[in-house]
Each structure stands twice: as C-alpha cells, then as structure tokens.
Amino acid sequence: MKIFNTLNGRMEEFVSLKEGEVGLYTCGPTVYDYAHIGNFRAYVFEDFVRRTFEYLGYRVVQVMNLTDVDDKTIRRSQQEGVTLREYTDRYIQAFFEDIALLGIEPAEHYPRATDHIPEMVAIIEDLLAKGIAYRKGDGIYFDLAKFPKYGALAKLDKAQLKSGARVDVDEYDKENVQDFALWKEAKEGEPFWETSLGKGRPGWHIECSAMSMKYLGPTFDLHMGGVDNIFPHHENEIAQSEAHTGKPFVRYWLHVHHLIVDGTKMSKSLGNFHTLRGLIEKGFRPEVIRFLLLSTHYRKTLNFSFDALAQMEKSWQRIVNFQTELEGTLFGEKETPGLEDWLQESRSKFRAALEDDLNISQALNTLFEFIKEGNLRLSRGEIGASAANLISETLKGFDSVFNLLPRGGQGELTEEQKGLVEERNRFRREKNFPEADRVRKLLLDQGILIEDTRNGVRWKRA
Ligand code: AMP
Ligand code: ZN
C-alpha cells in the first residue's frame, strides 16, 4: 500500500511496525459545540482509511482523543454556569450520536484529556528535568531551540523560528513560530488540577502526545488529522514526544484537506458551516452526506454545495437499487458465463485503487462499473441464485470500505412467505391467474410486494 507521507513529503510504501496490525491515532473533537460537516470530512476520511486497512487484512488499533479542556470549553461552560465536566459530557454524547449516524466504525479508545492529567504531567516533568522545557510567567513552555528537528513536518524555514518568544494560545499561525505552552498555571475562576507542577491545566498539544503514546507506545504507525493540524499542533506533538522518549514518534502522517464552501474553509468562526443535524433536518440522509464527504481524494479540497449533495443522492440510489435487486429477487438456478473472472477482476481493481494512496475516484469507478455490468447481466436474465449471492457478497465487500448501504438490508422472507411465493408461481404456471392474484394479495397484506422479472420473482417491503 502506497500513501503520501507528510513527514517526508512523498509517496511511500506503508509497512506496519507489527505485522498485520496498524496503530492509528486520530486527533478528535474539541467538545465545546456540535461538530460541523467540515470536521466530519476528516473523521469520515479517517474511517475510510481504517476500513481500508481492515479490508486489506490488518487489525487496526485506533485512538481518538476527546479534548474536554481548553480555552473554548472553559469559556462556554462558565457562560452557562455548569461544570466543565457537565458541559463537555453533553457534546461528547452528541459527537457519538453523530459518528454513529455517519456509519463511522468506533475506535478502540476514546480517551478524555481530563482523565489523563498525570500522564501529561509526567512528560512535562521529564522535559523540565532535561532542560527542554522552562517555567516563565504563568506557565511552562517548550524551548524550540532545544529541539533542532522542529519544523520538519510543516517544512518551516528556520528563520521563522522565534525561540524565546512565547505563545500560550492553543492555535497560532506560521508567522509566530514560538515556544509554546505545555502547562498553564491556574487563573482565577478557571478549573485547575493540583499536581506536582502546581495548580494548573495542560496546554492542548501535550494531551495528544500523552494519550497516543499511552495507548500505542512511543513509536506508532500512523497519525492523521486535517491539514490545519500540521502546524502548530502536530509539529508540537512531535517535538514533545521525541524530546521525551528520544525515539521517532510517528512513522506515517496523513493529512486530509478541507471541506470548503464558495472557496473558503468551512469553519465555526466564519459561520459558513452546516451541522450534520441541520442537514438531516433539511431531509438529507446521513449515508448521502457520508458519501459526499468521502467522494473526493483526501489531498484535494472538497467543495460543499446542495447541488453536489443532490448528485450524490442519485449515485447512492444506484448502489442501493442494485443491492435491493440482488437481495430481493428469488432467483432460479442458472449458469452465469464468465462469473468468476468478472468478480475476480473487479476485486483486484478495487484493491489496487485503495493501495494507490487511497484512490477514491478509482475505487468508486470500479464500484460503478461493477454495478453497470451487474445490471446488464440482470437485464439479460443471466443471473441465477448462486451467482446473485456471489455478486452480492462482492458488493458488500466493497461496501465494507464505503459503508453506504443501509444497514440490515431488507431482511429475508419467512418460510411461510416463501411458501406463498412458491404457491403463486405454481398457480401462474397453471395459468390460474385469479388464484395467483389472491396469493399475491395475501403477501401484500403482510407488507410484501411481489414483482415478476426476467430473473425470477422480486420482492420488496411495501
Ligand atoms: P477542531 O475541532 O477545529 O480541532 O477540528 C477537528 C478536526 O476537524 C481536525 O482534524 C481539523 O483539521 C478538522 N477540520 C476542521 N475544519 C475542517 C474543514 N473545513 N474541512 C476538513 N477538516 C476540518
Ligand atoms: Zn491532536
């Protein structure tokens, strides 16, 4: 599998540390509000990568942090007059509801920052002891001058580094590459932790170092996030972690580009955002929203528009119709010429697309070619029961990566219902149409709608 590794700025062959297993860290939400679908582009893409590894036979151990302490969560909880924990619990709950709607497979670990203060303190203590961190003003800072590799991920120009100058906000820009805060001393009215460093709270960046290494070890395979995380957040994660352990932190970094609206990044502060809930209230299905978020390669920006959503709805319907036809037809037995070759070829094209830096367009092309060919064969009446099964299994295999098909499908007919279908077939063969219609009506009364096709009887839930 080839992926574009931000660290070295080039395409590389992915080789996991442990055979057959991928250690994956994905920066999670700051739980101060509902996430918008821009955030979900990142999470849906990460889910696609996770599912791709699983499709390729790896076991994935994924960690996603929940940032439940920072400037924003503190400010908002104070405005509402509730504790930080009460406030963030609400948005953690909302986040889990949203990712379930989007068909995101749960990570193995969702550590909360506030449950890992001792782990963060331990790293900061060590950096202080090594003279890489220093105490000044009302905080503890990471000294950029002590970490010569600083800037390698974001390809920063050394001249940009202003070591000695300090920044204590969590997010800052490339004009201000400064010593950043690891720890902030308690301020009047803010929540704080009583620790060996004194009373205070951690900066944002240290949480991801502490929680990733706790669950995945000092060196792990893959770290993902949005491109806006490259600097300063991921650059700082590398600095803190490697200065602490003396080992390489992450082997491969993948960054997903932004979801944009009319040329600008979708973001809370610009107000140009949609939440998942908002779009669902407007009548869009979560599967279709997921499809739109997935549809563009991760190294390209993706433009959000309602037209694009409507377009995706149509493509999505084609996949669902094909699956409904395969699952809902009671096929007879029949030889399907060239079946194995066709399935085999489709599967290997699909795999090759994924292994080519997660080439989503190629993977979707393969899927829609497959559906087109399948529909052609259905219209020619070439499909028998066992072929339909194999085609459906192949389709579900592809969908294990996309996860777009409605979960559960339409289920199966009961034995009694199958018996009624058989009975109706017999009446039809005997040209006893009034009786055939009577049985059809019996099935309809049970909510089963019967249609006759070239391949056999097709049923749907009415
Ligand atoms: P935040 O809550 O802003 O820290 O963002 C959480 C995740 O969503 C990060 O990985 C961001 O890079 C990502 N993100 C934020 N806005 C967008 C956007 N418009 N498009 C894609 N990813 C985004
Ligand atoms: Zn992070």
Side-chain angles (χ1 to χ4, degrees):
M1 161 111 147
K2 279 188 311 184
I3 52 176
F4 187 87
N5 188 357
T6 313
L7 190 59
N8 302 318
R10 59 163 188 255
M11 206 73 93
E12 290 178 357
E13 188 65 33
F14 178 85
V15 183
S16 61
L17 270 177
K18 275 192 220 158
E19 206 184 317
E21 189 175 303
V22 180
L24 167 62
Y25 189 84
T26 44
C27 289
T30 304
V31 284
Y32 71 103
D33 203 342
Y34 297 111
H36 58 69
I37 59 162
N39 304 127
F40 285 121
R41 181 188 187 190
Y43 304 134
V44 164
F45 168 70
E46 289 159 357
D47 181 57
F48 169 67
V49 175
R50 175 189 166 96
R51 288 169 177 276
T52 294
F53 277 114
E54 288 172 338
Y55 184 81
L56 298 175
Y58 290 89
R59 185 174 97 86
V60 177
V61 181
Q62 182 186 356
V63 181
M64 178 177 275
N65 65 300
L66 302 167
T67 300
D68 62 350
V69 55
D70 81 321
D71 302 339
K72 283 182 282 201
T73 43
I74 292 175
R75 196 177 343 110
R76 294 277 190 109
S77 64
Q78 284 173 336
Q79 281 163 2
E80 283 200 18
V82 296
T83 64
L84 186 62
R85 191 84 182 184
E86 272 175 272
Y87 184 81
T88 54
D89 274 349
R90 190 193 311 159
Y91 290 105
I92 287 176
Q93 164 93 23
F95 177 71
F96 284 130
E97 285 165 13
D98 284 356
I99 61 174
L101 281 168
L102 283 171
I104 291 176
E105 196 167 55
E108 281 59 33
H109 305 278
Y110 287 103
R112 288 176 76 145
T114 55
D115 292 336
H116 294 76
I117 304 289
E119 287 85 345
M120 300 180 215
V121 168
I123 298 175
I124 300 170
E125 289 278 14
D126 176 60
L127 295 177
L128 279 171
K130 289 183 170 133
I132 294 167
Y134 62 89
R135 207 181 263 275
K136 193 129 195 191
D138 51 8
I140 298 174
Y141 292 85
F142 187 97
D143 185 352
L144 297 189
K146 301 278 169 56
F147 189 73
K149 262 178 70 183
Y150 195 86
L153 182 75
K155 318 283 174 284
L156 296 180
D157 178 352
K158 288 285 169 200
Q160 283 172 280
L161 267 58
K162 299 180 191 156
S163 122
R166 284 168 289 125
V167 48
D168 66 1
V169 290
D170 291 329
E171 289 166 80
Y172 50 98
D173 56 39
K174 281 198 186 181
E175 307 311 305
N176 290 295
V177 188
Q178 303 179 3
D179 294 353
F180 58 92
L182 297 164
W183 185 257
K184 304 179 189 194
E185 281 173 16
K187 284 202 191 93
E188 188 61 37
E190 284 194 352
F192 63 84
W193 283 262
E194 189 87 64
T195 73
S196 57
L197 298 170
K199 289 179 188 167
R201 63 170 169 109
W204 169 38
H205 314 291
I206 192 70
E207 84 178 60
C208 284
S209 288
M211 298 195 278
S212 59
M213 293 193 290
K214 169 165 181 174
Y215 295 96
L216 299 171
T219 304
F220 58 91
D221 294 305
L222 182 56
H223 195 315
M224 293 196 268
V227 283
D228 55 337
N229 284 156
I230 298 175
F231 180 85
H233 184 51
H234 291 164
E235 200 64 63
N236 292 353
E237 278 188 43
I238 295 174
Q240 300 157 154
S241 309
E242 298 195 355
H244 171 54
T245 66
K247 294 179 183 148
F249 176 46
V250 169
R251 291 152 52 84
Y252 303 90
W253 289 87
L254 278 196
H255 289 101
V256 54
H257 281 250
H258 285 142
L259 180 71
I260 59 171
V261 192
D262 302 326
T264 33
K265 177 188 170 191
M266 180 177 283
S267 77
K268 279 270 158 57
S269 51
L270 294 173
N272 62 348
F273 65 92
H274 294 283
T275 59
L276 180 62
R277 285 142 206 267
L279 290 179
I280 292 174
E281 270 164 30
K282 285 191 163 70
F284 294 99
R285 304 183 63 112
E287 293 95 331
V288 173
I289 301 167
R290 175 179 170 96
F291 197 7
L292 177 69
L293 295 177
L294 265 183
S295 61
T296 298
H297 191 260
Y298 74 98
R299 289 196 284 124
K300 291 195 183 120
T301 52
L302 163 60
N303 196 37
F304 174 83
S305 71
F306 285 102
D307 283 349
L309 259 185
Q311 202 56 48
M312 292 324 284
E313 172 109 45
K314 285 190 196 142
S315 305
W316 177 76
Q317 201 61 58
R318 281 181 61 203
I319 312 173
V320 176
N321 289 349
F322 185 52
Q323 177 63 5
T324 309
E325 181 107 8
L326 290 171
E327 282 198 338
T329 307
L330 302 164
F331 293 93
E333 264 319 323
K334 203 170 280 178
E335 273 293 308
T336 305
L339 179 72
E340 264 311 318
D341 286 349
W342 168 49
L343 296 181
Q344 197 50 53
E345 193 191 325
S346 304
R347 284 195 291 254
S348 59
K349 270 194 194 157
F350 187 71
R351 191 185 170 105
L354 296 176
E355 287 180 336
D356 177 20
D357 192 28
L358 305 144
N359 189 333
I360 186 79
S361 337
Q362 204 49 52
L364 286 173
N365 263 344
T366 307
L367 173 73
F368 283 107
E369 279 296 314
F370 180 72
I371 293 176
K372 192 169 152 200
E373 172 79 18
N375 280 325
L376 197 68
R377 286 169 182 264
L378 282 167
S379 72
R380 290 202 219 108
E382 280 179 18
I383 309 288
S386 53
N389 236 332
L390 290 171
I391 298 169
S392 171
E393 285 311 307
T394 303
L395 181 68
K396 284 185 193 156
F398 296 162
D399 192 58
S400 70
V401 176
F402 301 126
N403 199 24
L404 297 171
L405 288 172
R407 272 134 259 164
Q410 63 170 359
E412 287 210 32
L413 294 180
T414 64
E415 284 310 310
E416 190 215 332
Q417 289 165 338
K418 282 187 197 157
L420 287 173
V421 172
E422 266 316 303
E423 202 180 324
R424 174 174 172 272
N425 284 348
R426 187 165 46 79
F427 284 132
R428 279 174 61 88
R429 281 196 300 275
E430 293 164 357
K431 305 231 179 314
N432 186 349
F433 296 113
E435 277 301 292
D437 281 348
R438 185 186 57 80
V439 179
R440 183 173 197 271
K441 175 79 176 34
L442 280 179
L443 283 160
L444 195 58
D445 290 343
Q446 300 184 20
I448 303 296
L449 180 67
I450 295 292
E451 282 162 359
D452 299 293
T453 76
R454 300 188 65 158
N455 300 291
V457 171
R458 183 171 65 207
W459 65 277
K460 285 204 264 255
R461 300 212 181 265

